[in-house]
Structure formats: structure tokens, C-alpha cells
């Protein structure tokens, strides 16, 4: 029996170390697959026998690769992680400060009475480079030569060898100082991303009789009654049992509006109760709540790497050995081939080459950039399941939109009932409500709402053996006779006598093989749909098509109100799937937006599947690549804006890092750049790249089409 287990690797900041740890964990006999998300420091592994997993064994393995990394159970993060980070930062400050004191002593009058000034340089060097020296020699013992620690040791030891003691110490000191600020910036960006969703609700006021007991959310079982005070953040998915009021749903939907709730309504963890005392009954555990699921999705999204991330990982494996080889040739060939060339001078240039060679700026900042984009999207009520989908949004050129619930509100109103076969309106409505009683489709909800309005305290005589005919209708037994409700063509195929031709907005009903009436429903165009379609066209989407199972009459009427490039009607789910496959065969990059329940195969087939209004809908979250948590099509445009912003920042980091490194490498080869420039080309550029990533999260105008 296999299972997924997750750990937090506190203190992990070296991307190369992460790659090595991932590789070594994957070699463990009880591990089927292991992946490390650098942005969240999460190690996710699938174990053949979860009970055989040993955190201590993992800790020993990690210690053999890199010191200062703590393996913790993911749920234990919090305060322990912050304490460990604080301790690590304080130790780093102490080492840097001590090294600086020893270095300054050499340049004071005390140097004249010191018998061996080199000892002070050595002490300063050891203090400044303790972590680098420890990691570098340990990696050497494991046969790993091409990591930044060992390269720094070679470069600074070489400076010592040619008598440049102050520079050797200064380079190690400034390298550690730069790494310190880089780690701080990375940690800040991680915390900023985690905080985008707001504070995690964790306290629950459990009701035991008339007593109120504050309990941790993790300890509350489904079915437990609890109290929600005004101002409280809802900690668990629940159903209201007493009270009515308003809920701020912005943490989940990204929209600053309040939702009215009353007895019988479902509320989700992450909502904020604004104005009334409410009693509720929990529906799920804290681990399975909507809020926890969303945060978990955002964090796990880093496991799905974008093409840019995959490229940089492959690039780094080739880039560093090539640079090391070039540095070796730079040290050896000129003194042999150029008359008058001094080995000491060319050796120094080669050392500069080594220092600047590490691709950390790319390997750290690019995954962090995509993760920041995913975090930013989550704050806007948009769940993106991976950097690959965020990247794919930029390539989409064909958009296919479902009609009901996507372009329209999906809230039908029953406006007319026509009868036949001796039935009256009440009988038609009762039979329809009985057939639709087990469905959550918008049409079913509208019919049931109409029945409830007429019979507030009753319910229709129950139908049995209810079965769904996908894209066509529902068949059931009612009063021991077959009952059908759905499209006219389907009723005719089922042999129903007297069924009229399909009319826009009509649902036909037959009982005992005879047509008994039609229910005419109307659905309103979603506000802003036309503007969103126009905006998408301006952004370069070449083709926008509506796909619907509705009749040609209903589809044509709606299409006239929208700037679409076309529409297809009377479609079954397999028809929609075929249309997307045809578009893919033409070389188009497709996006499909639908409700995520009936259109799951189409969502899965599209290059980017977008589920509309996935608030609490498990099927939507499972089926789609991107989930818009509110019923607002404009969120699709916001998602593309965030995707463009993320792409621009990632490209900027790639160009900046490679450009600066190329310039410093060229200057070093010509003898115009020293160790100080080399350190800037390594940790300085990495720090700039991480700070650039923070722009994604700090941008306060996601809806703006202008991206710089």
C-alpha cells in the first residue's frame, strides 16, 4: 500500500543541494517518487510502505548532503521553523561579525606587534567561511565537485596561495554577507506568498449543550455543532443551523463583497462572519476543508514545473561544468601559449571565473517567480495547479466557453409552463421536481426552487430509479410509470408520442410514454461577459467560440449579444471533446472554461481547463487546471494578466542573470574584473533576481492590462 508523505526542509536555500537531496531520496528502496518544491521547502514523497518511512533516516541523509537543514513533519512547521530560522540568522550574523573584527585588527596599529598577521587572516577566513568550508569538503567526500561551496573554496584558497590574503577573506566575507541577504529575501518572499491567503483559521467554539469550549480546528470531527461570532473567521466547512447574516468571502473568491447566509446554507472555512451570531454544524474535518484544500493546492502547485523551470534545471547541469572547464583552460593555456604571460595573473582570472559561475540566480528565482504568480492568483480567487498551467495561459490562442454558468448566470427562472395530455401546470411542475430532486444542475435547481415557492412546507412525491442521460435529460420512475424530462430530440428517440420540436429555453416532460408538457426557463447573460470577450481579443486571442448543449435557437439569441467568433449548439460532452481535438490537430493552443462537473473530459483535454465558480465544488477542483473561485468571467482575464506579469519577471531574471554573468566573465578573462565583481555576479545577481520576484506579489493592480 503506497501513500503520500510530506516534510518541510527548514533552512533549505541551495538549489543544487535540493537537486541532490531529491536524487538521493529517490534512491531509497521504500520511495516510489520524491519531489522537492524549492519555493515552499516541501519534500513530497510517495512511499511503498508509509509506515516504514523514518524522519530520522531522512534527516541523516540530508545532513550528509548539507548542514543546517531540518527535516520536519509538514504540519509541525510554524513556530519551530521560525525559531530555527532565527537561530540560523543569528549564528550567521555572529560569524560574519567575528570575521570582520579579525580582518579589521590586521589593519590597525596592533598589526605591528603581531608576530604572525596571517593567523588573523586565517581566523577571519575560517569564521566567515565555516559553513562553506564544511559543506564544500563534505561534498568533496561524496564526489560532488561542481557546487558553489567547493568552487568558493578553490577560489579563495587560490587567493591565499598567491598571497592575496585580504582579498581571500574579503571575498569569503562578502559572499557570506550576500548569501545572508539572499536567504533573508527568499524567506521573506516565501512568507509573503504563504500570507497571500490571509491568516489560517484555527480556533473553533464547540457547543456542548449550552457550554462553549474553544477547540483547535484539527480536533473537531464532522457533525460537531459550533458557534461563529461576529468578526470570526470560519474555521470549518459547515451548514448553518441557527441565525442569518452576512459573510465576507474575499479570502476564497478574491472579491470584496458580502454573501447573505441563512439556515440551511453551506459556509466554507475562510469566510468571515461580519454581523451576526451564527450556529453551525461542521461538514468536514479541518484537513479536508475548502480553505485547507486551497492552500494545499497553491503550495503543491510548485511541483508542476513550467518549461522555463525545466530548461534552467537542465541548463545548470551543463553550464557550471563548462564554466569550470573554461576557467581551467584560462589558467593553463595563456601562460603556455602567450609570450610574457604570467601564470599568477591568469590563475587569478580563472579564480574569478569560478566564483561567478554558479547559476543560483536562475535556479532559485525562476521557480520562486512562478510560485509567486500562483500565490498572487490565489489572492485574486484564482487557483492555478502549477507553473506549467500559468505559463500555458500565455500561449493560448483559442478559447472555448461553455454557455450555462459561464457566459450566463446559470440561475434560471421558470417563466412559463405549457401542458398537454390532460395535465395541468401543477402536475407538470410536480413531476419535473420529482425527477430533478437529486440533481444540482442549474435547471434542476430552478425547477425545485419554483416548486418550493408553491409548496413551502411540502415536497413532491418521490421519484425512484433516477438516472441521468448525459447531455440529454433524466429518466426515472414516478408513480410506478416511466418519467422522462429533457430535450425534444431525446424524447422522440425514446418513442414519446406527441413531443413538439425543441424551442429555446424549453424542457419537455413525458410520463407513461406520452408528452405531458414543457417548462420554459430563461437565463440571463452574465454581467461583463461581452467586455471580457472583447478584452481577450485585444490581448491576442484569435478565436473565441461558445459551446453549448442548448438548442440552436437559444444559442443564436445569446451569441447575438456577444462578440464571439462563432458558436456550436446541441452538443453532448463528447461533441465538445471532438471540437477541442480538432482545434488541437490544427496546431491551436486551447482553453476551455466550463462548470467543471458536466464538462470534466473537455476540461481535461484542453491545454488549459478552467472551472468557473469552483467555490467548494470538489468535481471542479479535481477536473480543471485552473479554478475561478467566483462566478466572474473577468477572473479569466486577471489570470492572464498575472501570467504575463510572471512571464515578464522570469524572462527579466534570465536575461539579467545571464547578461551580468557574461559581462563579468568577459571582463575577468580580460583582467578587468576582480573578486568583488565575481561575488556580485553570483550572490548579488541572485539577490536582485529574488527582489524582482517580489514585484509579482506587491503589484496591487492585477486587473490592469498594462504589464511591465
Amino acid at each position: 500500500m503506497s501513500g503520500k508523505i510530506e516534510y518541510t526542509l527548514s533552512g533549505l536555500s541551495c538549489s543544487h543541494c535540493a537537486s541532490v537531496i531529491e536524487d538521493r531520496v529517490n534512491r531509497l528502496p521504500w520511495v516510489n517518487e520524491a519531489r522537492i518544491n524549492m519555493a515552499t521547502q516541501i519534500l513530497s514523497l510517495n512511499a511503498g510502505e508509509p509506515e516504514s518511512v523514518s524522519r530520522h533516516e531522512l534527516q541523516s541523509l540530508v545532513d550528509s548532503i548539507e548542514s543546517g537543514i531540518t527535516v520536519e513533519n509538514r504540519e509541525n512547521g510554524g513556530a519551530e521553523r521560525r525559531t530555527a530560522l532565527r537561530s540560523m540568522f543569528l549564528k550567521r550574523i555572529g560569524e560574519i561579525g567575528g570575521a570582520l573584527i579579525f580582518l579589521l585588527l590586521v589593519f590597525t596599529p596592533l598589526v605591528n606587534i603581531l608576530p604572525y598577521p596571517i593567523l588573523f587572516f586565517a581566523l577571519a577566513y575560517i569564521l566567515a567561511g565555516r559553513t562553506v568550508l564544511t559543506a564544500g569538503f563534505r561534498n568533496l567526500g561524496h564526489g560532488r565537485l561542481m557546487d558553489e561551496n567547493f568552487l568558493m573554496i578553490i577560489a579563495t584558497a587560490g587567493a591565499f596561495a598567491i598571497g592575496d590574503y585580504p582579498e581571500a577573506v574579503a571575498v569569503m566575507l562578502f559572499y557570506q554577507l550576500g548569501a545572508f541577504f539572499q536567504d533573508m529575501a527568499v524567506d521573506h518572499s516565501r512568507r509573503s506568498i504563504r500570507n497571500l491567503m490571509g491568516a489560517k483559521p484555527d480556533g473553533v467554539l464547540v457547543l456542548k449543550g449550552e457550554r462553549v469550549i474553544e477547540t483547535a480546528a484539527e480536533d473537531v470531527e464532522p457533525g460537531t455543532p459550533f458557534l461563529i461570532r461576529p468578526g470570526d473567521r470560519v474555521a470549518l466547512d459547515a451548514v448553518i443551523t441557527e441565525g442569518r447574516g452576512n459573510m465576507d468571502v474575499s479570502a476564497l473568491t478574491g472579491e470584496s463583497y458580502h454573501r447573505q447566509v441563512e439556515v440551511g446554507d453551506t459556509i466554507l472555512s475562510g469566510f468571515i462572519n461580519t454581523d451576526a451570531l451564527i450556529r453551525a454544524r461542521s461538514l468536514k474535518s479541518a484537513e479536508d476543508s475548502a480553505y485547507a484544500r486551497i492552500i494545499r493546492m497553491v503550495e503543491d502547485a510548485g511541483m508542476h514545473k513550467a518549461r522555463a523551470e525545466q530548461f534552467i534545471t537542465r541548463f545548470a547541469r551543463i553550464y557550471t561544468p563548462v564554466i569550470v572547464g573554461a576557467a581551467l583552460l584560462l589558467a593553463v593555456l595563456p601562460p603556455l601559449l602567450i609570450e610574457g604571460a604570467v601564470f599568477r595573473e591568469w590563475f587569478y582570472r580563472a579564480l574569478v571565473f569560478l566564483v561567478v559561475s554558479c547559476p543560483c540566480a536562475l535556479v532559485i528565482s525562476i521557480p520562486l517567480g512562478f510560485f509567486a504568480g500562483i500565490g498572487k492568483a490565489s489572492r485574486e480567487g484564482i487557483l492555478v495547479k502549477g507553473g506549467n498551467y500559468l505559463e500555458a495561459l500565455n500561449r493560448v490562442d483559442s478559447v472555448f466557453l461553455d454557455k450555462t454558468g459561464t457566459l450566463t448566470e446559470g440561475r434560471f427562472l421558470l417563466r412559463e409552463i405549457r401542458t398537454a395530455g390532460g395535465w395541468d401546470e401543477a402536475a407538470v411542475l410536480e413531476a419535473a421536481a420529482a425527477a430533478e430532486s437529486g440533481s444540482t444542475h442549474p435547471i434542476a435547481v430552478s425547477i425545485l426552487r419554483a416548486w418550493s415557492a408553491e409548496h413551502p412546507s411540502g415536497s413532491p412525491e418521490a421519484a425512484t430509479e433516477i438516472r441521468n442521460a448525459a447531455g440529454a435529460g433524466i429518466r426515472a420512475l414516478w408513480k410506478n410509470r416511466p418519467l422522462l424530462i429533457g430535450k425534444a430530440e431525446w424524447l422522440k428517440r425514446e418513442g414519446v408520442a406527441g413531443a413538439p420540436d425543441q424551442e429555446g429555453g424549453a424542457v419537455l416532460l413525458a410520463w407513461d410514454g406520452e408528452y405531458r408538457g414543457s417548462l420554459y426557463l430563461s437565463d440571463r447573460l452574465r454581467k461583463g461577459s461581452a467586455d471580457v470577450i472583447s478584452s481577450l481579443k485585444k490581448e491576442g486571442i484569435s478565436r473565441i467560440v461558445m459551446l453549448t448543449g442548448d438548442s440552436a435557437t437559444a444559442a443564436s439569441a445569446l451569441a447575438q449579444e456577444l462578440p464571439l467568433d462563432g458558436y456550436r449548439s446541441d452538443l453532448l460532452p463528447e461533441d465538445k471533446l471532438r471540437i477541442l481535438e480538432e482545434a488541437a490537430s490544427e496546431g491551436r493552443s486551447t482553453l476551455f472554461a466550463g462548470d467543471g462537473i458536466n464538462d470534466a473530459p473537455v476540461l481535461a483535454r484542453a491545454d488549459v481547463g478552467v472551472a468557473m465558480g469552483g467555490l467548494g465544488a470538489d468535481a471542479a477542483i479535481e477536473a480543471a487546471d485552473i479554478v475561478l473561485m467566483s462566478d466572474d468571467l473577468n477572473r479569466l482575464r486577471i489570470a492572464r494578466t498575472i501570467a504575463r506579469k510572471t512571464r515578464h519577471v522570469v524572462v527579466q531574471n534570465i536575461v539579467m542573470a545571464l547578461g551580468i554573468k557574461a559581462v563579468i566573465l568577459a571582463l575577468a578573462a580580460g583582467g578587468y574584473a576582480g573578486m568583488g565583481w565575481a561575488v556580485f555576479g553570483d550572490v548579488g545577481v541572485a539577490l536582485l533576481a529574488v527582489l524582482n520576484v517580489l514585484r509579482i506579489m506587491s503589484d496591487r493592480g492585477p486587473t490592469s492590462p498594462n504589464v511591465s
Side-chain angles (χ1 to χ4, degrees), residues 507-525:
V507 177
L508 278 64
L509 184 139
W511 183 72
D512 199 18
E514 292 186 27
Y515 168 67
R516 303 292 181 171
S518 299
L519 299 94
Y520 290 81
L521 303 110
S522 60
D523 188 13
R524 290 189 301 178
L525 180 67

Side-chain angles (χ1 to χ4, degrees), residues 462-543:
T464 59
E465 299 184 24
I466 299 174
R467 289 176 293 167
N468 182 55
I474 290 175
R475 58 166 55 91
L477 280 179
W478 189 59
K479 297 183 178 180
N480 297 318
R481 296 286 190 276
L483 174 67
L484 303 177
I485 180 171
K487 294 182 177 180
E489 302 82 34
W490 179 62
L491 264 65
K492 289 179 179 178
R493 288 200 303 271
E494 293 293 315
V496 173
D501 292 335
Q502 185 76 37
E503 296 183 43
V507 177
L508 278 64
L509 184 139
W511 183 72
D512 199 18
E514 292 186 27
Y515 168 67
R516 303 292 181 171
S518 299
L519 299 94
Y520 290 81
L521 303 110
S522 60
D523 188 13
R524 290 189 301 178
L525 180 67
R526 191 179 295 283
K527 185 179 179 181
S529 293
D531 293 336
V532 172
I533 292 172
S534 297
S535 297
L536 290 174
K537 285 189 171 184
K538 290 176 182 177
E539 292 171 6
I541 300 296
S542 61
R543 186 181 178 196

Side-chain angles (χ1 to χ4, degrees), residues 38 98 128 240 286 399 424 447 469 535 651 671 705:
M38 266 296 291
I240 296 176
V399 172
D424 58 18
I447 290 174
S535 297
V651 170

Side-chain angles (χ1 to χ4, degrees), residues 643-706:
R644 287 200 306 276
K645 179 76 173 181
T646 302
R647 179 185 60 186
H648 289 175
V649 168
V650 167
V651 170
Q652 286 167 4
N653 281 346
I654 292 173
V655 172
M656 175 183 68
L658 293 181
I660 292 176
K661 285 179 181 290
V663 169
I664 294 176
L665 287 172
L667 291 174
Y672 299 107
M675 285 288 188
W677 281 105
V679 171
F680 172 73
D682 182 12
V683 293
V685 171
L687 179 59
L688 289 175
V690 171
L691 292 175
N692 193 32
V693 164
L694 294 177
R695 293 174 52 228
I696 299 173
M697 294 175 291
S698 62
D699 178 17
R700 297 186 180 278
T703 58
S704 172
N706 299 318

